[in-house]
Amino acid sequence: MTERIADVEIPDSRLVADATELVRDAASPLLFDHSRRVFLFGMLQGRRRGLEPDPELLYVGAMFHDLGLTERYGRTDERFEIDGADEARRFLLAHGISEDMARRVWLGIALHTTPEVPGHLEPEIALVTAGVETDVLGIGYSDLEPAQIDAVTAAHPRPDFKNRILAAFTDGNKDRPDTTFGNVNADVLAHFLPGFTRADFVDIIQNSAWPE
């Protein structure tokens, strides 16, 4: 039977079922519920903006966007966003999705912590960020109907979410602090990782190898 939450249909396909199983197996309940909310809020924000994403691709983008914070898929040599993006591309290509569509999902995940840019790209990219912004930052919260928010959070609750997601960001980035340069996770580590010193863009320019 087709699942609907807040009048958003969860696509009933093998691709979506396999994505759900992969993320449920790899991620904590915190990240699983958050990722499902990202899809739902992304779809709802898309309706408000007049955007029509491919629901399956948006679902995979939303579900895989934080896989880099998991023990199974997190690495230490690149930004955590790239970990999830790379795994999503592999997953989609293995399921027969075209390289172009897989690229959209890759970009949606890779850019989901980069302000403004995703909103100028394809709906599958823009709405991963829109869903993340609604669930994590509260951006667009007041644009949704209270009944929609209640339905989403009833299906996927968020107990103490603010503190728990910040802890997940810290845990997922503490072993690769240099990868947070220029993105929002530097703020997280500055708050929660003792001894962390963020790189400074001005210092990098002034101390570069150029002689002048």
Side-chain angles (χ1 to χ4, degrees):
M1 187 174 74
T2 301
E3 182 181 11
R4 300 185 73 88
I5 300 170
D7 201 33
V8 173
E9 182 176 318
I10 307 297
D12 184 12
S13 67
R14 172 51 55 189
L15 180 73
V16 165
D18 288 351
T20 302
E21 181 180 0
L22 185 152
V23 178
R24 193 190 298 276
D25 187 50
S28 65
L30 168 76
L31 293 179
F32 179 83
D33 284 326
H34 164 56
S35 298
R36 290 269 289 193
R37 291 195 304 272
V38 166
F39 168 72
L40 295 164
F41 287 141
M43 288 292 291
L44 291 169
Q45 296 290 4
R47 288 179 187 173
R48 190 179 65 82
R49 300 179 188 185
L51 299 178
E52 297 184 5
D54 181 305
E56 288 185 299
L57 296 183
L58 180 58
Y59 188 87
V60 173
M63 293 304 292
F64 281 60
H65 84 279
D66 274 348
L67 274 187
L69 300 177
T70 68
E71 184 176 353
R72 181 174 304 174
Y73 293 102
R75 297 177 296 193
T76 58
D77 58 329
E78 292 186 305
R79 291 172 54 160
F80 89 89
E81 301 94 329
I82 302 300
D83 297 339
D86 285 349
E87 188 56 34
R89 183 188 314 179
R90 284 192 290 268
F91 174 86
L92 289 166
L93 294 177
H95 281 74
I97 302 301
S98 72
E99 178 62 45
D100 181 61
M101 293 297 102
R103 177 196 61 83
R104 289 192 187 190
V105 176
W106 191 94
L107 282 171
I109 298 171
L111 293 174
H112 82 266
T113 58
T114 301
E116 297 192 36
V117 174
H120 295 274
L121 302 175
E122 293 95 331
E124 295 82 9
I125 301 171
L127 295 178
V128 170
T129 293
V132 170
E133 288 178 339
T134 298
D135 199 47
V136 177
L137 303 173
I139 296 173
Y141 178 91
S142 60
D143 296 321
L144 300 179
E145 296 294 330
Q148 294 174 322
I149 295 170
D150 290 345
V152 171
T153 56
H156 296 288
R158 33 176 297 147
D160 196 29
F161 178 72
K162 293 179 182 180
N163 290 319
R164 294 169 70 217
I165 197 64
L166 286 170
F169 291 153
T170 303
D171 289 343
N173 287 286
K174 65 184 181 182
D175 293 328
R176 46 175 151 187
D178 291 344
T179 70
T180 67
F181 172 66
N183 70 69
V184 297
N185 290 294
D187 293 341
V188 175
L189 296 188
H191 276 269
F192 300 110
L193 185 64
F196 173 74
T197 302
R198 68 172 73 226
D200 186 287
F201 182 62
V202 174
D203 287 344
I204 291 171
I205 294 173
Q206 292 178 335
N207 296 316
S208 77
W210 287 101
E212 80 279 5

